[in-house]
Amino acid sequence: MPMSLTYPYPRANPDWPCQVKIPGSYDWERSAAKWLRELVPARYAGYPTLIRHPVLLARHAEIQVQQEVRVARTALQTARAELPRLGLPESVIEHTIKLYAAEVLQLQHIARSVRAVSQALAEHQLRRAA
């Protein structure tokens, strides 16, 4: 669902990460970039192009988190069939399934947060370019 960036956009959006300042506030892009760097592998977080262009970092973080959601879903969907073959006790298998389910939910929330930040950065970039 497309959202228009109207202040105070993030406070009205439950998916806006608390670690990121409100768009338009002092240093908000830096807080967004810092938060996004925590979501990507360290080698990507150090690339100069991604550091200089937070909107590119946001794009990469979106892709990264989408992949992590897929991995967690696969782990959850295959756990019941595959974990018993590892010789694990049923209690460990059940605990692991609950862990994977919680991780899927957490990653889905992070994905929504990344999309919100990414959209705000893109809109900010477009305003600056105009």
Side-chain angles (χ1 to χ4, degrees):
M1 152 175 49
M3 292 185 257
S4 173
L5 183 61
T6 56
Y7 303 115
Y9 166 73
R11 298 299 179 234
N13 182 343
D15 294 322
W16 191 263
C18 63
Q19 302 91 329
V20 179
K21 294 179 180 182
I22 296 171
S25 66
Y26 176 74
D27 235 11
W28 85 270
E29 280 184 295
R30 187 184 316 255
S31 70
K34 181 180 180 206
W35 179 72
L36 291 165
R37 279 193 306 271
E38 294 172 4
L39 300 176
V40 300
R43 66 184 179 278
Y44 287 101
Y47 289 150
T49 301
L50 296 180
I51 291 170
R52 281 192 302 273
H53 302 282
V55 71
L56 291 176
L57 180 61
R59 178 185 178 275
H60 189 82
E62 280 189 80
I63 294 167
Q64 183 72 38
V65 173
Q66 288 169 3
Q67 290 301 321
E68 289 182 35
V69 169
R70 285 187 191 101
V71 168
R73 280 187 183 144
T74 299
L76 176 62
Q77 292 165 353
T78 60
R80 183 107 23 230
E82 293 180 6
L83 294 181
R85 287 184 250 163
L86 299 176
L88 296 168
E90 184 63 27
S91 62
V92 172
I93 293 169
E94 289 304 317
H95 179 75
T96 304
I97 288 170
K98 289 177 185 175
L99 177 143
Y100 287 146
E103 186 65 13
V104 167
L105 292 176
Q106 177 67 20
L107 287 166
Q108 288 171 334
H109 175 73
I110 291 169
R112 290 189 303 272
S113 296
V114 171
R115 278 192 300 275
V117 171
S118 182
Q119 180 179 355
L121 287 166
E123 290 180 12
H124 181 72
Q125 179 78 23
L126 289 172
R127 268 199 287 281
R128 273 198 306 199

